[in-house]
Amino acid sequence: MGVSHSTARYLAPASFLYDFAAQQYGILSTPSMKDIHDRNLAFWSPNPYFIGAFFFPQQLFQLAWLWRLWKSDPKKSAKDREEADTIRDFVPWYALGNVCIGTWMFFWNNNRLDLSNIFVIVNSCAQLYYVFTKLAQPENQLNLRSPSSILTHVVSKTFAGIGVLDLLHNTSAAYFVDQSPSFLTKILTGVGFGALALAPGTDWIFGGCLVYDLVALTVGQAQWGKDPGWAGLLGAYAVGTAAIVGLKNWFRPPYEESATHFDTAVRIYVSPYLVPQAEKESRNSMFLA
C-alpha cells in the first residue's frame, strides 16, 4: 500500500483535517463524546481526560511530521529522497487511521457503539500491523540521525499505542456496560499487555504508550469500577509493563547502528576473560616452535 510523494503531500493533511473536524464535532455536540463515555462505563473504561491529554501533544508531533512531509523534496539529493521516502511510506496508514477515527466519532456520538467499534478495530489493527511489520524491518528501525525517521516512529507508534486503549475501551463500552471483569478477562488483559511489551517491535515509544494506557485504565476503574481489586491489578500491570519495556530497551536499544548496553557489558565484564581462538592458535604455534 503505497502512494506517490505528490499524492502523499495532499492526502495526509486532508485526512488530518477530517479527523480534527470530527473531533471538534465530538467535543462540541450534544451529547458530547464524554457524555457517551459516561453513559457506557465498563471494565475497560479509562479516565477520559487521559485521552485528551494524550492527543494534544500527539497532534503537535503530527503537525511537525506533516510539515516535514510538505517541505520534503525527493529530487534534491539521495539523502533528501531517503528522508522523503521514510515519511511517505507511512502516509497510507496514517490517512486510513485518521479516516477511521474521524468516522468513528459520528457513530460514537450517536450511541451506535457497535458500529463505531468496527472503525476502531480497523484502525488499531492497521496501526499495529505497520509498527510490527513495516517498522520492525532493519532498514526502517529508528535512526536518531534522521528527523524524518524520528517523527515517523513517534507518530506511528503513538497512533498504535492509543489504538490499543481505544480498542479495549470501545469494545467494553459496546458490549459490556456496567459489567465487572471476569477472571479470564483479568488474565487476558495482563497476558495481552505483557505480550505486547515483550514483542520485538516494542521500543520505549510504543512501550511508553502501553504503560500510559494502563495508567488511564487504572485511574478510570478506581473512579467508576465495580470490582475494587481491578484498579489495583491494572496498576500492577502498569508497573510490570514499565519494567519489561525499560529493561528490554536498556539491554537492546532499538536504534540504528547503536551499540547496545548488553554488548557494552559483555565487552567490559566478559571479554577480558576470553582469549580469541586465533590468538590461542598463535600462542600454541609459538610454543611448539
Side-chain angles (χ1 to χ4, degrees):
M1 185 166 63
V3 295
S4 66
H5 182 262
S6 59
T7 300
R9 292 178 74 227
Y10 291 96
L11 177 61
S15 68
F16 173 84
L17 291 174
Y18 171 75
D19 183 35
F20 183 79
Q23 299 303 318
Q24 301 314 302
Y25 159 77
I27 295 171
L28 301 175
S29 63
T30 303
S32 68
M33 178 168 50
K34 185 177 181 301
D35 292 334
I36 300 299
H37 169 273
D38 293 342
R39 294 177 188 176
N40 298 277
L41 298 174
F43 52 74
W44 278 329
S45 292
N47 181 294
Y49 295 108
F50 274 78
I51 298 176
F54 184 93
F55 274 113
F56 176 71
Q58 204 260 356
Q59 286 188 330
L60 296 180
F61 280 107
Q62 288 186 57
L63 289 173
W65 180 82
L66 289 168
W67 176 251
R68 190 159 185 84
L69 168 64
W70 185 261
K71 297 292 290 183
S72 63
D73 185 357
K75 297 179 181 179
K76 280 187 176 181
S77 66
K79 177 63 176 176
D80 289 319
R81 182 174 184 81
E82 181 181 350
E83 289 286 305
D85 287 347
T86 297
I87 294 181
R88 179 184 56 80
D89 184 64
F90 179 55
V91 168
W93 308 91
Y94 174 80
L96 174 62
N98 277 330
V99 170
C100 284
I101 296 304
T103 307
W104 161 84
M105 180 60 67
F106 298 107
F107 290 104
W108 175 271
N109 272 37
N110 283 281
N111 209 36
R112 289 304 310 270
L113 307 190
D114 54 337
L115 296 178
S116 70
N117 204 44
I118 296 173
F119 294 93
V120 171
I121 292 172
V122 172
N123 171 64
S124 298
C125 291
Q127 304 309 320
L128 289 170
Y129 174 83
Y130 183 81
V131 166
F132 287 114
T133 60
K134 301 291 186 178
L135 288 186
Q137 297 175 10
E139 64 271 19
N140 294 327
Q141 66 184 124
L142 180 59
N143 182 356
L144 296 179
R145 299 182 302 277
S146 167
S148 295
S149 176
I150 293 172
L151 287 171
T152 299
H153 275 257
V154 170
V155 173
S156 62
K157 289 173 179 176
T158 52
F159 253 80
I162 201 66
V164 173
L165 181 60
D166 288 341
L167 183 60
L168 296 176
H169 179 202
N170 203 110
T171 299
S172 65
Y175 303 109
F176 304 103
V177 176
D178 292 329
Q179 293 188 32
S180 297
S182 66
F183 177 77
L184 180 60
T185 298
K186 294 178 180 179
I187 296 298
L188 290 178
T189 301
V191 170
F193 275 96
L196 287 173
L198 288 167
T202 298
D203 63 356
W204 60 271
I205 304 172
F206 181 70
C209 291
L210 294 177
V211 176
Y212 189 90
D213 293 346
L214 284 165
V215 172
L217 289 170
T218 300
V219 176
Q221 292 304 302
Q223 293 174 307
W224 306 299
K226 294 188 174 183
D227 185 337
W230 179 222
L233 186 58
L234 287 168
Y237 289 160
V239 173
T241 300
I244 292 171
V245 172
L247 288 173
K248 190 180 80 167
N249 286 279
W250 171 259
F251 287 108
R252 293 289 183 185
Y255 312 135
E256 182 177 308
E257 298 180 1
S258 61
T260 67
H261 297 288
F262 176 78
D263 295 332
T264 302
V266 168
R267 288 197 298 270
I268 294 175
Y269 298 109
V270 180
S271 296
Y273 303 99
L274 299 178
V275 179
Q277 185 64 29
E279 186 177 340
K280 285 183 178 180
E281 293 176 354
S282 176
R283 290 180 180 177
N284 290 336
S285 64
M286 291 175 61
F287 176 78
L288 292 174

